Amino acid sequence: MKNILVINTGSSSFKFQLIQMPTEKVLASGLVERIGQQNSEIHYSSQGYSGTREQQVPDHSIALRAVTDLLMSPDKGVIKDATEITAIGHRVVHGGTTFSKTTIIDKKVKKEIKALFSVAPLHNPPNLTGIEVAEEVFPNARQVAVFDTAFHSTIPAKAYKYAIPNHLTEENHIRLYGFHGTSHKYVSEKAAQSIKRTDSKIISVHLGNGCSITAVENGKSVDHSMGFTPLSGLIMGTRSGDLDPSIIFHLVDKLGYSLKEVNELLTKKSGMLGLTGYSDLRDIETEAQKGNRECKLALEMNAYRIKKYIGSYIAAMNGLDILVFTAGIGENSGTMRKLVCNNMDFIGIELDEIQNNLRSKESRVISTETSKVKVMVIPTNEELEIARQVDKLV
């Protein structure tokens, strides 16, 4: 038996699971959310215990140390000391062209992850922090990186290339990479199993603080909304998603922004935060219900952008069997799912409102029996997918 600790560091969250392999038994799990905000919370569950506590968590380093204390706590913990951890699987967002598979972490790997900070500024830095803190706390464990970009290595050149001079793609590796790959892989495989066919056309919609959408044909990623970095595509918590690149030149040349300020604006001050003043969709939905016009419009804009991508991917794959919603918003927001699926009957999407409004942690179908396209909510389990890949490697 191996105890594998999976660390999944998001831009504003820190998820973890301690999984016993190969039985896939979860010994402990939890979530630190709203990192860097005033109302941070730590959710922790282990055998015989489940609880939440409010705690100021200014950064990811403090989040990991708080989780480690819980894992080894005399009353709530599941291990006595660090030597009981065989390996630690780290979700790393950007692997560039260097990493296309799960990799043992060494100094060279950490250097490459750091070199990609500029193209994944919200993710690779906390990913590396998680690795470095884990190396200190668990010095005897094998540290393993599982890259979000790996699943998207099957995207064809017609989809990953940008219409820029070829040498920039070939020599400087400027191309679409794709992200949230571990999540899209996990849920698309579960969706495909539900129709018991090897040939399938699936669109996976991952909606969290970061949002992305993937076209998956016959089990392989063939297109994806994020690109060279996790900035493009859907409207996100603090990221703008798609925009006219000339806006950047206008901000710099006409409005006096520095390039650093533009980067900060588009990655940390835009998206739903820029539109409403809130980055958490729960707050935005609450305000919209109170009649806040900005929040109502932001929800409509968000859903409209998702609809456009769904339409384009149906065209690219020449059809659709299953539409999957996953991640924090995708799994829990019936409001967002309804906004996306409304007026999509032309392409065969019919939502069952009763099923859509049910709250459940289980995978489920939320479309009507007559819907030509099966619509599903599948809770993502990136941690289990990471644990499986780590187990195979070590």
Side-chain angles (χ1 to χ4, degrees):
M1 294 289 185
K2 304 173 192 171
N3 288 337
I4 296 177
L5 176 62
V6 177
I7 293 175
N8 184 344
T9 354
S11 53
S12 64
S13 63
F14 177 95
K15 291 195 291 184
F16 68 92
Q17 286 189 17
L18 181 59
I19 303 174
Q20 190 177 74
M21 298 297 287
T23 62
E24 300 187 354
K25 180 181 179 181
V26 178
L27 301 179
S29 63
L31 165 69
V32 185
E33 60 179 339
R34 303 188 183 193
I35 294 172
Q37 300 179 35
Q38 293 296 319
N39 51 347
S40 307
E41 289 184 341
I42 300 177
H43 308 272
Y44 176 80
S45 297
S46 61
Q47 297 167 336
Y49 175 84
S50 180
T52 298
R53 75 179 188 219
E54 291 187 4
Q55 177 180 328
Q56 195 65 31
V57 185
D59 57 45
H60 291 77
S61 177
I62 289 174
L64 178 56
R65 292 185 186 280
V67 166
T68 302
D69 289 343
L70 284 167
L71 289 173
M72 295 191 286
S73 164
D75 55 336
K76 304 179 185 71
V78 291
I79 57 173
K80 293 181 180 179
D81 57 57
T83 61
E84 294 184 40
I85 303 293
T86 307
I88 300 179
H90 298 268
R91 175 209 181 201
V92 180
V93 165
H94 210 314
T97 56
T98 306
F99 304 108
S100 59
K101 60 183 180 180
T102 301
T103 306
I104 298 290
I105 296 170
D106 56 20
K107 289 182 180 179
K108 184 178 179 181
V109 171
K110 288 191 289 183
K111 184 178 179 181
E112 292 288 344
I113 292 170
K114 189 171 185 178
L116 292 163
F117 276 12
S118 62
V119 290
L122 295 183
H123 299 88
N124 273 35
N127 293 162
L128 183 58
T129 297
I131 291 168
E132 291 174 338
V133 174
E135 286 176 331
E136 292 178 15
V137 179
F138 303 101
N140 298 319
R142 301 294 294 274
Q143 307 288 335
V144 181
V146 179
F147 296 92
D148 265 10
T149 46
F151 179 59
H152 301 296
S153 61
T154 54
I155 293 176
K158 65 182 180 182
Y160 76 65
K161 283 195 72 173
Y162 294 117
I164 55 177
N166 285 325
H167 72 88
L168 291 171
T169 305
E170 295 161 4
E171 298 171 19
N172 301 101
H173 311 298
I174 298 175
R175 49 158 289 178
L176 181 151
Y177 287 101
F179 301 92
H180 294 144
T182 308
S183 174
H184 288 297
K185 180 178 186 293
Y186 179 83
V187 300
S188 62
E189 286 178 352
K190 287 206 73 172
Q193 290 167 7
S194 75
I195 57 173
K196 299 177 182 178
R197 277 174 29 205
T198 54
D199 61 321
S200 58
K201 296 174 181 179
I202 296 169
I203 293 176
S204 169
V205 187
H206 178 110
L207 302 178
N209 190 57
C211 303
S212 67
I213 181 168
T214 300
V216 183
E217 190 167 8
N218 302 331
K220 295 182 178 180
S221 173
V222 294
D223 207 347
H224 179 77
S225 59
M226 289 175 167
F228 180 59
T229 74
L231 180 59
S232 64
L234 306 180
I235 297 170
M236 297 171 245
T238 64
R239 282 168 272 173
S240 65
D242 289 341
L243 50 72
D244 181 346
S246 293
I247 292 172
I248 296 170
F249 305 126
H250 184 77
L251 288 168
V252 173
D253 297 336
K254 301 296 183 182
L255 301 183
Y257 282 76
S258 68
L259 287 174
K260 183 178 180 181
E261 287 171 334
V262 172
N263 186 50
E264 180 89 2
L265 176 74
L266 297 181
T267 58
K268 297 182 180 180
K269 298 179 181 179
S270 295
M272 300 301 272
L273 178 64
L275 292 170
T276 69
Y278 304 95
S279 63
D280 193 302
L281 196 86
R282 291 168 293 189
D283 298 327
I284 296 167
E285 287 187 2
T286 299
E287 289 299 311
Q289 288 170 0
K290 294 177 182 177
N292 185 313
R293 291 183 180 181
E294 289 181 342
C295 290
K296 281 184 175 181
L297 178 58
L299 291 173
E300 291 171 1
M301 289 172 63
N302 198 325
Y304 181 71
R305 183 77 59 86
I306 297 168
K307 279 176 181 275
K308 289 205 296 183
Y309 269 95
I310 290 172
S312 67
Y313 288 167
I314 289 174
M317 294 191 293
N318 190 27
L320 178 63
D321 296 311
I322 308 174
L323 175 65
V324 181
F325 289 94
T326 193
I329 295 169
E331 294 166 26
N332 297 305
S333 176
T335 299
M336 183 55 65
R337 294 191 299 263
K338 182 178 178 180
L339 285 170
V340 171
C341 294
N342 271 355
N343 299 317
M344 297 276 271
D345 50 298
F346 178 77
I347 55 175
I349 293 175
E350 294 179 3
L351 202 64
D352 183 319
E353 292 212 20
I354 294 175
Q355 293 300 318
N356 181 51
N357 291 327
L358 290 178
R359 296 298 294 268
S360 172
K361 293 183 179 180
E362 302 300 319
S363 298
R364 63 196 189 278
V365 177
I366 60 169
S367 49
T368 65
E369 290 185 4
T370 57
S371 180
K372 294 178 182 178
V373 173
K374 190 175 186 179
V375 184
M376 301 185 70
V377 175
I378 300 180
T380 191
N381 197 333
E382 295 167 285
E383 291 76 23
L384 178 56
E385 179 62 35
I386 290 169
R388 288 170 177 171
Q389 294 187 37
V390 172
D391 186 43
K392 287 180 183 178
L393 188 63
V394 301

